[in-house]
Amino acid sequence: MLKTRRSFALAAAFVVALAVGGPAAATAATTTDAGSAAPAAQARAAQAHAQAQAQAQGGEQGGEPGTPTPRVIRATRAARVAPLDPPSSWGHATVLEGPALGPDGRLYFVDFTAPAGHPKILRYDPRTKKVISLHTDATSRFSSLQFSPADGKIYVTDYDNGKIDRLDPDGTGFTTVFSGPVDGRVLVPDDIAFNKAGDMYITDYHGSLEKPDGRVVRLDARGAHPVVLQKGLSGPNGISFTPDFSALWVSEYNLGREDHFTLAPDGKSITGGGVGMSANVGGGGFDSNSVDSAGNVYQVVLGAGKILVWNPSGDLLATIVIPQQPQPEPLVSNLVIKPGSTHGYITVGGDNGGYLYTFHALAPGLPQPAGR
């Protein structure tokens, strides 16, 4: 999720420019059990299949010898799920975040720009196409949503107030599980990812080009014992585990790059890391990301209406495109791939309201990790 008023205003201006100028969880998985990562052989097979797909269905662009030819995947609008939110200090647009598939097969997401009293945590039923509000309040601004394998509850990051909140899938039991400073500074929690035990890994969206002081922070499954795993980042935003939970992919919004951080066996420290991929993003930025069962990394480019897909080696396999006609919708923020299926959902916004789009991923989604 874009995290400064200036960057949001730029993205909102991009929406207007497009309008004037023209187009611009827990179902069955393919792993041996729902609580373990895909075996290495299976992951390699899935990766080979994904690359073969990319080569077979690629576009006209060529690449270096031995690398797959990137293909273009066009997403399809599924439903309008939120109105155009009122003007605010963040601009005049709707920005949705999340999304996460619950054990019931329904899609849960948040409305980042929803004003006080309007639906802020929502649920969409793909079968009936109905949307219901699960929670609203006067002060929160939620920037991500995930289910914890430790208790099966929903966890949301409150960007404005530096909190991690929890609620039941039916919207009851809302409570705060973490707030306050970490090493002397209040979090700006952006995205959240869970390991098998339900420990939380959070991007702390601080940092600029001049002062890269963003962080990756770890909390245990109860929201206690905060530990700073990584410093020196410029707007860390998306965060996802590799299929075997041995490393993290973290996107830096301001730099257009994807960092790879290897974790210690206990997950309590980072043992190595570096830049895995980068891209020219124009006036946009790297928002949320996701990983499929083949280890492919799906990186949203907010403000550009697209998602870049790389394999773990850094080869660009595909670009997922959100059609910008008949109305521009460049505020693509996040995605989820259904476990055991290539069916995916994308949260999309702009000055026309909030939408869900569907697409076909290159490999099935990862299963929800089972708690210990």
Side-chain angles (χ1 to χ4, degrees), residues 3 117 121 179 189 192 273 309 360:
K3 297 302 174 256
I121 304 176
S179 63
I192 185 171
V309 188
H360 289 292

Side-chain angles (χ1 to χ4, degrees), residues 29-39 42 196 243-245 366-371:
T30 57
T31 57
T32 53
D33 65 81
S36 62
Q42 185 179 10
K196 294 180 183 180
D244 63 359
F245 291 92
L366 286 164
Q368 174 76 13

Side-chain angles (χ1 to χ4, degrees), residues 322-343:
I322 307 299
Q324 298 299 308
Q325 288 286 354
Q327 297 170 315
E329 294 169 1
L331 300 184
V332 183
S333 60
N334 208 338
L335 72 148
V336 64
I337 305 169
K338 186 177 180 180
S341 168
T342 58
H343 187 73

Side-chain angles (χ1 to χ4, degrees), residues 148-172:
S148 169
D151 56 18
K153 296 180 185 292
I154 295 170
Y155 285 71
V156 289
T157 52
D158 186 344
Y159 167 78
D160 272 6
N161 300 294
K163 301 189 302 178
I164 310 298
D165 298 318
R166 179 182 68 204
L167 68 158
D168 295 320
D170 63 0
T172 61

